[in-house]
């Protein structure tokens, strides 16, 4: 148990100590019973010892703090990185406590696995589109328990039945007598009552907030600049450093000549670790200028000649001769008679390219360590700091911050680990900021994939047999090796491949593990396993439809008759996009994709135009989404829009390539972002669903790739099986098909060879 929170709400604002010290809980004691992804609140968070000024009068669980002034603080178990997690969680709490969303003060949680671990991830972590999925029950029960105790305290004061009381905006009212009291006035009394063993959340018919389009709780702070991200922070007496790691992965630092750097105004010091060097300055520009003046000698290590070509050669060899691990087997794919088709898909390493590059402020002292950063894994940051400094974990405080993008990159604590390694060499707080070039070159990359996929079609064109062999490195083996299956299977590698939305009589899905050389670090990337698998599957389904001479949407509709939720989003998207109505201009095509990633069901239809030079323009996109109960429809729509654009950006432009063991991409000039003028007209249509919420933050990215590539095929007749889109291949493929130009059908699906 962390006995020294210092900043228990993770507020981390050194310029506002009164807020930072607002909640000092000497020891938090909470008991949770995790059941099926939710939590039943059975205990309470208790302030031990005398109640100091500013302590909460009422803390019924790890999440809720009610002050005597009536203020309600929500200690957020998940991290906000732009996905709307804080608004969603606050909405669940406000709903059950009968508060307005504007009445809740959101706070970052401290690093504490016991109180704030995500049961779906087995870690205090935010990722995998799990926030609402696990908070749907947890946060509502926490709010319902708090409301019950507060109402019971008021009823006891008035000597009435709690059932005769109502609540509106934190004011309890006894209807018969008209008496009212605010939450703050009964907070102390509520704190003395026993926590109920069972609480009943609101019936959905009584929801006042859930399902309504609400404004985000952090919007105002982002607009007026008061909300601070990690890179914004300053603490007293700090110095600023920038870093450079060995450009070849797995390489080491040999020597540094800093004679020229010392001449730069504002230069402070040069710090060294095994594989990197930091330059400290009075300000960032001094540190950067001095870094450029260093003469550094590197040992480029065993990977000095490694390349992208070698990476895919090794993956192809492993796919052919490696030992496959079974992921799913239905029936027997061997010996099935029919029309056989097969394809190979090859997908690149990917960087995260978050708008906010990696950064951390670290102050190492003999008696403790403070870390200010934006991280998806605060407890892991404590772990690495304790290991490097030798300090006890309870003396290390992580002041978590808002993040300018995560996308899975901040699920890894290596930037904090590096910052601690440098900061322990100095006495002052050290702010370490990576340049954009460093951020891209030393990312933890999405694995490269090599997929061999095949199907045998019956006389009706439907698959009788389906085989999918995936070959890649494993992220899970690094992040959580204990989560690997006993047979060595990485569940993420086959997610959405082993649980297809379609039902085929004979299926074999398997994975071959082939990790890249040591030093080339892999990491989670937005959409994780599904973003890779759904692209391959939905592209190949399109290939099968073409081979069967079927409309690709009608082909999917036939295959989804036993999957009503997937069929419903397919039909909704088709209706809104006008599929089958009218014709499209030359070199314009529509592509469709449907899948069920992260417990949600989506269909995306993209309309794209391809120029004779191979340039792709997205004209229009329509998404239909069934994510169960949409806690905040505004957030769902925004996440689908942002996820699609994130995916299209990569599909159109990006991939990480290696030459001589070095990443070839450097900044947004060669790992570029989609511009506003390049985004299509984009519609998001939500199914009014009563199902338990699914994930949403990564689903748009998952669907972006196949819908776009299928549209490109519809426009050109050229099937691309890798990304980013190869403009030259589109031109060459279209030229080869000129002799078989045919007219597009009335549903807008261009036929092979249309140019």
């Amino acid at each position: 148990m962390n006995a020294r929170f210092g900043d228990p709400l993770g507020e981390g604002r050194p310029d506002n100590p009164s807020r930072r010290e607002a909640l000092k809980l000497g020891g938090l004691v909470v008991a949770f019973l995790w059941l099926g992804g939710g939590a039943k609140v059975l205990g309470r968070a208790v302030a031990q010892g005398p109640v100091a000024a500013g302590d909460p009068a009422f803390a019924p669980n790890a999440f809720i703090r009610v002050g005597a002034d009536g203020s309600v603080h929500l200690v957020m178990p998940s991290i906000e990185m732009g996905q709307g997690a804080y608004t969603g969680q606050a909405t669940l709490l406000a709903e059950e406590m009968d508060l307005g969303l504007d009445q809740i003060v959101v706070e970052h949680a401290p690093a504490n696995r016991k109180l704030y671990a995500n049961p779906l991830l087995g870690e205090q972590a935010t990722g995998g589109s799990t926030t609402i999925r696990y908070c749907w029950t947890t946060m509502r029960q926490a709010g319902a328990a708090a409301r019950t105790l507060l109402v019971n305290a008021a009823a006891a004061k008035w000597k009435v039945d709690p059932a005769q009381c109502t609540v509106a905006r934190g004011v309890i009212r006894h209807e018969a007598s008209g008496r009212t009291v605010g939450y703050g006035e009964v907070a102390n009394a509520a704190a003395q009552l026993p926590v109920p063993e069972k609480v009943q959340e609101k019936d959905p018919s009584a929801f006042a907030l859930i399902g309504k389009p609400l404004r985000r709780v952090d919007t105002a702070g982002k607009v007026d600049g008061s909300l601070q991200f990690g890179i914004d922070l300053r603490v007293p007496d700090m110095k600023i450093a920038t870093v450079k790691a060995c450009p070849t992965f797995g390489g080491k630092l040999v020597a540094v000549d800093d004679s020229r750097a010392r001449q730069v105004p504002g230069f402070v010091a040069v710090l060294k670790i095994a594989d990197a060097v930091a330059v400290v300055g009075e300000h960032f520009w001094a540190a950067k200028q001095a870094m450029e003046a260093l003469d550094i000698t590197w040992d480029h290590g065993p990977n000095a000649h490694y390349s992208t070509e070698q990476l895919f050669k090794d993956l192809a060899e492993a796919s052919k001769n490696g030992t496959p691990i079974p992921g799913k087997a239905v029936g027997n794919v061997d010996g099935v008679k029919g029309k056989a088709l097969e394809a190979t898909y090859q997908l690149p390493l990917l960087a995260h390219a978050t708008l906010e590059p990696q950064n951390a402020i670290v102050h190492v002292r003999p008696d403790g360590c403070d870390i200010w950063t934006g991280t998806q894994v605060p407890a892991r940051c404590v772990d690495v700091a304790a290991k490097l400094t030798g300090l006890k974990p309870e003396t290390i405080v992580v002041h978590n911050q808002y993040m300018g993008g995560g996308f899975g990159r901040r699920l890894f604590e290596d930037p904090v680990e590096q910052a601690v390694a440098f900061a322990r060499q100095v006495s002052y707080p050290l702010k370490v900021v990576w340049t954009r070039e460093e951020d891209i070159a030393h990312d933890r990359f999405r694995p490269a994939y090599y997929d061999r996929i095949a199907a045998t079609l019956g006389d009706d064109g439907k698959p009788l047999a389906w085989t999918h062999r995936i070959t890649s490195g494993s992220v899970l083996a690094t992040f959580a090796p204990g989560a690997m299956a006993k047979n060595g299977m990485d569940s993420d590698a086959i997610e959405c491949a082993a649980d297809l939305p379609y039902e085929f009589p004979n299926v074999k899905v398997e994975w071959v593990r082939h990790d890249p050389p040591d030093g080339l670090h892999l990491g989670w990337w937005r959409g994780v396993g599904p973003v890779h698998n759904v692209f391959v599957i939905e592209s190949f389904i399109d290939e099968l439809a073409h081979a069967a001479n079927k409309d690709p949407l009608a082909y999917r509709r036939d295959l989804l008759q036993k999957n009503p939720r997937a069929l419903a989003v397919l039909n909704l998207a088709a209706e809104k996009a006008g599929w089958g109505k009218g014709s499209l201009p030359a070199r314009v095509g529509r592509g469709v994709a449907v899948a069920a990633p992260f417990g949600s069901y989506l269909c995306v239809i993209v309309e794209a135009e391809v120029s004779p030079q191979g340039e792709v323009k997205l004209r229009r996109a329509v998404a239909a989404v069934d994510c169960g109960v949409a806690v905040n429809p505004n957030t769902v729509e925004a996440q689908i829009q942002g996820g699609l654009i994130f995916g299209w950006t990569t599909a159109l432009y990006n991939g990480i390539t290696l030459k001589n063991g070095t990443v070839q991409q450097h900044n947004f000039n060669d790992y570029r972002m989609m511009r506003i003028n390049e985004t299509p007209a984009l519609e998001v249509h939500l199914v009014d669903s009563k199902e338990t919420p699914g994930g949403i933050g990564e689903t748009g990215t998952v669907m972006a790739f196949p819908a776009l590539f299928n549209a490109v095929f519809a426009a050109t007749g050229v099937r691309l099986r890798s990304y980013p889109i190869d403009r030259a291949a589109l031109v060459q493929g279209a030229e080869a098909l000129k002799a078989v130009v045919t007219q597009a059908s009335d549903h807008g699906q261009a036929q092979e060879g249309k140019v």
Side-chain angles (χ1 to χ4, degrees):
M1 184 63 65
N2 193 333
R4 181 189 179 273
F5 283 104
D7 181 5
L9 295 188
E11 190 65 25
R13 292 184 173 89
D15 57 335
N16 194 346
S18 62
R19 292 192 64 181
R20 190 170 68 251
E21 300 298 325
L23 281 176
K24 284 191 174 178
L25 300 179
L28 290 176
V29 183
V30 143
F32 286 121
L33 174 62
W34 297 111
L35 292 175
K40 290 189 176 180
V41 182
L42 303 178
R44 74 163 68 244
V46 183
Q48 304 295 322
V51 178
D55 276 352
F58 178 53
N61 47 62
F63 310 119
I64 301 167
R65 310 283 180 262
V66 180
D69 61 355
S71 61
V72 179
H73 287 239
L74 171 56
V75 185
M76 292 291 184
S78 298
I79 308 304
E80 179 62 69
M81 48 191 157
Q83 81 279 38
Y86 279 13
T87 304
Q89 292 174 72
T91 299
L92 299 178
L93 180 68
E95 183 70 77
E96 294 295 342
M97 290 189 70
D98 286 314
L99 293 164
L101 197 56
D102 60 308
Q103 292 180 283
I104 293 182
V105 179
V106 298
E107 306 284 1
H108 306 293
N112 190 315
R113 287 186 177 91
K114 289 186 178 180
L115 299 183
Y116 302 109
N118 180 333
L120 299 182
L121 300 177
E123 174 64 274
Q124 186 183 4
T126 302
S129 296
T130 59
T131 292
I132 294 300
R133 282 193 282 173
Y134 102 81
C135 280
W136 173 247
T137 300
T138 304
M139 198 58 65
R140 291 173 64 209
Q141 287 189 344
R147 181 188 183 278
T148 298
L149 288 167
L150 290 162
V151 170
N152 286 350
K157 176 181 178 180
W158 294 328
K159 295 181 174 56
V160 300
D161 184 349
Q164 297 175 350
C165 299
T166 59
V167 183
R169 290 189 60 82
V171 176
I172 305 166
R173 177 182 177 86
H174 180 238
E175 293 296 335
S177 65
R179 287 174 290 185
T180 61
V181 65
Y183 276 167
E185 298 172 78
V186 294
N188 278 312
Q192 310 308 313
L193 298 177
V195 177
E197 291 188 4
K198 186 177 182 181
V199 293
Q200 182 63 51
E201 306 102 272
K202 276 187 181 180
D203 186 272
S205 63
F207 286 163
L209 299 176
I210 293 175
K212 305 299 189 296
L214 305 172
R215 286 180 290 183
R216 288 177 52 149
V217 299
D218 52 3
T219 299
K222 290 178 178 178
V223 171
D224 65 22
S226 60
L227 189 149
Q228 290 190 306
F229 294 82
I231 204 166
D232 298 325
L233 288 176
R234 300 187 65 86
V235 302
D237 303 320
M238 81 176 193
K239 308 295 183 184
I240 299 179
T242 193
V243 300
K244 179 169 290 199
C246 183
T248 53
F249 57 90
K252 301 295 181 183
L253 176 65
V254 175
V256 178
D257 179 352
D258 63 2
S259 55
R260 291 191 300 132
R262 290 179 177 277
Q263 307 306 311
V264 174
F267 169 88
V268 174
V270 170
L271 309 174
K272 293 176 280 187
I273 58 175
D275 62 350
V277 59
V279 177
V280 184
E282 295 293 346
H283 46 79
F284 180 79
W285 184 244
K288 186 175 186 299
Q289 292 295 100
M291 177 65 78
E292 293 174 358
L294 290 181
D295 292 316
I296 306 175
T297 303
W298 302 104
D299 173 0
H300 292 286
N303 302 311
H305 301 292
Y306 196 77
S307 65
T308 301
E309 290 74 17
Q310 187 64 50
L311 170 66
F312 282 107
K313 180 180 178 181
D314 293 345
L315 286 170
E317 176 66 21
S319 177
K320 181 179 179 181
N321 297 316
T323 302
I325 302 171
K328 183 173 184 177
V330 175
N332 186 357
V333 299
D334 298 326
V336 176
K337 303 296 184 181
K339 182 177 182 179
L341 295 96
E342 61 181 30
T344 299
Y345 284 77
Q346 182 173 295
L347 307 184
L349 298 166
L350 296 176
H352 298 83
T354 59
L355 184 60
E356 179 190 16
Q358 304 305 308
N359 63 88
I361 302 174
V362 180
H363 189 196
V364 179
R365 308 176 309 279
D367 63 342
C369 174
D370 283 274
I371 301 169
W372 293 266
T373 192
T375 176
Q376 294 172 249
V377 284
R380 288 190 176 217
C381 293
V382 171
D383 295 343
V384 297
K387 181 178 179 180
L388 285 174
T389 63
L391 293 166
K392 295 180 179 179
E394 58 266 26
T395 68
I396 299 168
V397 180
V398 174
H399 311 267
N400 213 353
Q401 307 299 315
Y402 286 91
M403 286 170 262
F407 312 132
R409 176 62 182 100
R410 289 179 163 93
L411 278 168
F412 291 86
E413 67 278 9
D414 53 298
V416 171
E417 183 177 17
Q418 184 195 71
V420 172
F422 286 125
R424 68 177 182 168
Q425 302 177 40
V426 299
S427 60
Y428 43 80
L430 184 66
K431 181 175 186 176
V432 178
V433 180
W434 292 20
T435 61
R436 176 67 58 198
E437 290 79 5
E438 194 73 9
D439 190 73
I440 290 178
H442 297 283
D443 202 342
R444 283 185 174 263
F445 303 108
R446 199 283 301 267
Y449 291 92
Y450 187 92
D451 287 46
R452 293 159 59 197
I453 190 165
T456 302
L457 305 185
D459 293 339
D460 59 359
K462 295 181 181 180
L464 297 174
W466 175 277
T467 304
H468 188 181
R469 177 176 288 190
I470 302 158
T471 304
S472 72
S474 173
V475 182
L476 187 62
T478 299
F479 184 81
M484 298 286 283
K486 290 182 179 180
N487 67 350
M489 175 59 75
D490 178 340
S491 58
D492 174 67
I494 59 170
E495 188 174 354
C496 281
D499 48 348
L500 295 164
Y502 313 104
E503 188 173 315
F504 302 142
N506 301 286
V507 176
K508 181 169 73 173
V509 176
E510 53 193 9
W511 175 59
V512 177
R513 178 176 175 180
H514 180 79
D515 293 316
D518 290 343
L520 181 56
H521 298 298
L522 304 180
W524 308 115
W525 193 85
R526 190 175 187 181
V528 290
V531 77
H532 147 255
N533 287 321
V534 171
F535 169 65
V536 174
I537 292 162
E538 283 299 290
S539 296
F540 194 58
I541 287 288
D542 228 56
E543 295 196 48
L544 301 185
H546 181 73
N549 198 28
K550 300 286 184 68
D551 171 85
L553 191 142
Y555 188 74
R556 287 171 170 83
R557 184 178 284 140
D558 287 345
L559 296 176
L560 291 171
Q561 291 303 308
K562 294 183 180 181
N563 192 337
R565 292 181 72 185
L567 182 61
V569 293
L570 178 73
N571 288 335
L572 178 59
E575 174 194 347
K576 298 298 183 181
W579 190 284
K581 298 177 181 178
S583 60
L584 294 174
R587 305 194 66 86
V588 175
R590 289 192 184 117
V592 59
V594 63
F598 307 104
S600 293
Y601 292 77
L602 295 92
C603 178
V604 173
I605 294 173
V606 167
E607 184 176 295
E609 179 178 1
V610 182
S611 75
Q613 295 75 36
E615 291 300 323
V616 178
K617 177 184 178 182
L618 280 77
R619 292 161 49 105
R620 184 187 179 205
V622 175
V625 183
D626 175 0
C627 61
V629 175
V631 173
N632 187 339
N634 281 354
T635 298
V636 174
E637 182 177 3
Q639 283 299 291
I640 295 298
Q641 291 170 340
L644 285 169
I645 292 169
F646 188 85
W648 290 330
T649 285
T650 299
L652 288 169
Y653 305 118
N654 294 328
I656 290 294
T657 56
L658 306 170
K659 183 178 181 181
N660 295 327
T662 302
V663 172
Q664 298 300 289
Q665 289 67 38
H666 305 89
N667 207 314
F668 288 143
N669 64 311
D670 52 12
Y671 201 89
R672 63 160 288 194
M673 300 293 106
M674 200 173 185
R675 273 76 167 175
I676 291 177
N677 66 300
E678 295 171 324
T679 59
L682 178 51
E683 305 168 28
V684 179
H685 302 277
L686 303 185
V687 173
D688 184 13
S689 175
K690 307 303 181 186
E691 300 287 341
T692 300
I696 207 67
E698 299 170 88
T699 56
T701 302
V702 169
M703 306 306 297
F705 295 87
L708 172 57
F709 276 67
N710 290 340
V712 168
F713 173 78
T716 64
V718 179
R719 176 65 63 185
L720 299 178
R721 299 189 181 97
S722 64
Y723 50 76
I725 283 174
D726 186 335
R727 277 75 175 166
L730 288 179
V731 173
Q732 294 166 7
E735 289 291 333
L737 292 168
K738 278 185 177 179
V740 290
V741 174
T742 58
Q743 187 174 357
S745 58
D746 62 359
H747 63 266
Q749 177 69 21
Q751 297 299 307
E752 193 171 75
K754 184 174 180 180
V755 293

